[in-house]
Amino acid sequence: MKPILSQQNLLDSTSFCVIVPTYNNQKTLKKVLDSILDFTSNVIIVNDGSTDETGEILKQYSQLTQIHHPKNLGKGRALRNGFRKALELNFEYAITIDSDGQHFASDILGFIEEIQTAPNSLLIGSRNMTQENVPKKSSFGNKFSNFWFKFETGIELQDTQSGFRLYPLRLLPKQFYTNKFEFEIEVIVRAAWKGIVVKNIPIKVLYDPAERVSHFRPFRDFTRISILNTVLVTNALLYIKPRDFFRRAKKKGFKKFFLEDVLESSDSNFKKSAAIALGIFIGISPFWGFQTVLLFAFAALFRLNKVIAFLFSNVSFPPFIPFIIYGSLKMGSIFIPSDGHLFLDSSMTLDDIQKNAAQYIVGSLILATVSALSAGLISYLLLTAFSKKRIE
């Protein structure tokens, strides 16, 4: 389907190119390129070290920008080099399309139309993964990827693995760390962390077992993706989520943020008080270095308000740490005898604490539990009273 005049005018007025990474797709490459040329001649082909007839086929398209890798470097590296070339050519957007024939070039129009209403967004084509001939491993892999993307960014998408995408080139991170299939996960997660809107748009898809060649290696590539997700989740828990929390609070004003985002959240009073209790428990517990990870993991597991939980976990804010340690040791001494006396002054050393490690661990867990239950109960009563007062 070729574009009509108004559609062609829209295409011509938008600063975009199409990047086609290809590796040993001689059966479908020509058909893909010819279909793209119905919509634009701004095409960048990245031949990622193909060993089939790809080189001969590309000689027919000498008018198009081509990048040839002497050996296979991976899809991620192909896309990164394509982005670099697109920026050199001063394009604002890049649409990426796989060369295996599963995508329809006519959907380029959908990307261009959507970007007019949502400029500077990163758009991912959403495929119908329930249609006939879709491999079960592809459907499972997509659900797996969607889950971790939501965990890492808070954004829910229907398809995070489609290679048919539109990227806002000048807004993407300047440096990337992956070169294979996992790059397509890294780029959308880190784009979302930068504040770029990441969303799906519907596209058509064709799975033809006779022509489609997949270079995805289940064990190696799944292992790489799992390692990447581990790194991204850790970064999200330790840095991104706390950063976003403080940014929202600072932007709105801490008092207004507390009243509107914490007290006025849609959660029940019980869930709010449970989030407070969780924050207090994690903040006092002896899980130094892992508190933020555990906090967000448990908040997600029990579907508790992460903002409230994180806010109250700061009971372990540095000025309070000596009091927490001392209180834990005193609490622990009730159950585990101590060889000496500890005082909350300059005479208390790290060696003193190390000698009483068991006392501290037991005491801190007990103190955390008692404090969490007390804080949860008190906050529940206060929130209930506050709610009744507002109704009256």
Side-chain angles (χ1 to χ4, degrees):
M1 182 190 73
K2 293 186 178 182
I4 60 177
L5 182 59
S6 60
Q7 293 172 331
Q8 190 62 56
N9 289 337
L10 179 61
L11 292 168
D12 293 340
S13 64
T14 305
S15 177
F16 81 100
C17 66
V18 177
I19 298 175
V20 185
T22 186
Y23 174 63
N24 289 351
N25 281 125
Q26 63 180 17
K27 290 183 179 181
T28 53
L29 178 59
K30 188 177 189 309
K31 181 174 64 176
V32 170
L33 293 176
D34 289 341
S35 65
I36 294 171
L37 289 172
D38 286 338
F39 297 88
T40 181
S41 59
N42 298 327
V43 182
I44 300 173
I45 307 164
V46 186
N47 176 14
D48 190 28
S50 298
T51 56
D52 59 1
E53 298 300 315
T54 293
E56 291 300 314
I57 294 172
L58 292 182
K59 288 179 181 179
Q60 304 172 40
Y61 299 90
S62 58
Q63 78 278 19
L64 303 180
T65 302
Q66 299 186 20
I67 300 171
H68 294 270
H69 294 167
K71 63 179 181 179
N72 181 247
L73 300 177
K75 187 178 183 183
R77 177 61 69 175
L79 290 173
R80 289 167 61 179
N81 289 343
F83 291 163
R84 187 178 297 111
K85 175 58 71 173
L87 284 168
E88 290 175 4
L89 297 173
N90 292 317
F91 289 109
E92 187 175 356
Y93 299 104
I95 293 177
T96 61
I97 184 169
D98 294 335
S99 62
D100 59 4
Q102 68 168 293
H103 301 308
F104 291 80
S106 57
D107 282 324
I108 290 174
L109 277 169
F111 285 98
I112 299 303
E113 289 171 351
E114 180 67 25
I115 209 64
Q116 308 306 313
T117 58
N120 297 322
S121 298
L122 194 163
L123 308 178
I124 304 174
S126 179
R127 302 161 295 177
N128 178 7
M129 302 301 289
T130 62
Q131 72 180 54
E132 189 179 359
N133 291 329
V134 175
K136 290 184 178 180
K137 63 179 181 180
S138 295
S139 180
F140 169 78
N142 193 47
K143 291 178 181 178
F144 179 85
S145 179
N146 294 347
F147 170 81
W148 286 114
F149 179 77
K150 182 178 180 181
F151 188 93
E152 291 152 3
T153 66
I155 301 170
E156 185 170 2
L157 296 178
Q158 290 75 48
D159 192 345
T160 53
Q161 289 197 317
S162 170
F164 204 175
R165 304 177 176 191
L166 180 146
Y167 293 94
L169 290 168
R170 296 185 179 93
L171 299 182
L172 296 178
K174 303 301 181 186
Q175 186 176 6
F176 294 100
Y177 304 99
T178 54
N179 294 317
K180 306 293 184 179
F181 282 100
E182 69 272 18
F183 169 79
E184 290 184 301
I185 296 173
E186 180 192 359
V187 65
I188 61 173
V189 171
R190 294 183 58 205
W193 286 350
K194 281 195 67 179
I196 297 173
V197 174
V198 181
K199 57 189 295 189
N200 283 136
I201 67 167
I203 60 169
K204 301 182 291 294
V205 65
L206 171 67
Y207 280 95
D208 187 345
E211 289 193 343
R212 184 170 182 265
V213 177
S214 174
H215 302 291
F216 185 85
R217 296 165 297 183
F219 179 76
R220 289 187 182 181
D221 292 317
F222 190 77
T223 299
R224 285 195 181 96
I225 290 171
S226 297
I227 293 172
L228 174 64
N229 276 318
T230 300
V231 173
L232 293 175
V233 166
T234 302
N235 193 27
L237 293 174
L238 293 180
Y239 174 66
I240 299 298
K241 292 184 183 296
R243 180 204 68 180
D244 292 345
F245 170 84
F246 283 111
R247 281 182 177 177
R248 290 196 304 271
K250 184 178 180 180
K251 184 177 181 179
K252 183 173 284 190
F254 286 96
K255 181 179 179 180
K256 187 177 181 181
F257 177 78
F258 181 78
L259 291 174
E260 293 184 0
D261 292 64
V262 178
L263 292 182
E264 297 298 329
S265 73
S266 59
D267 291 335
S268 66
N269 290 335
F270 176 79
K271 294 199 78 171
K272 289 177 185 175
S273 59
I276 291 172
L278 174 64
I280 295 290
F281 178 82
I282 295 294
I284 296 177
S285 296
F287 305 122
W288 305 102
F290 299 95
Q291 289 177 324
T292 304
V293 175
L294 291 171
L295 177 77
F296 283 107
F298 281 114
L301 178 64
F302 296 111
R303 304 188 180 215
L304 299 177
N305 189 305
K306 300 179 183 66
V307 173
I308 297 177
F310 182 76
L311 184 66
F312 282 88
S313 71
N314 285 285
V315 68
S316 58
F317 196 69
F320 303 143
I321 290 176
F323 296 95
I324 292 175
I325 293 175
Y326 183 76
S328 298
L329 289 166
K330 294 296 287 184
M331 182 71 76
S333 66
I334 299 174
F335 302 92
I336 299 177
S338 174
D339 294 334
H341 299 285
L342 290 173
F343 298 94
L344 189 60
D345 56 24
S346 58
S347 66
M348 187 173 74
T349 66
L350 182 61
D351 188 53
D352 292 325
I353 298 172
Q354 289 175 336
K355 289 179 180 177
N356 296 274
Q359 186 185 91
Y360 164 69
I361 292 173
V362 171
S364 64
L365 289 172
I366 296 173
L367 179 64
T369 302
V370 173
S371 300
L373 291 174
S374 300
L377 177 61
I378 293 171
S379 61
Y380 179 75
L381 295 175
L382 290 174
L383 288 168
T384 302
F386 182 74
S387 299
K388 289 180 179 178
K389 186 177 179 180
R390 288 192 59 204
I391 293 173
E392 294 173 358

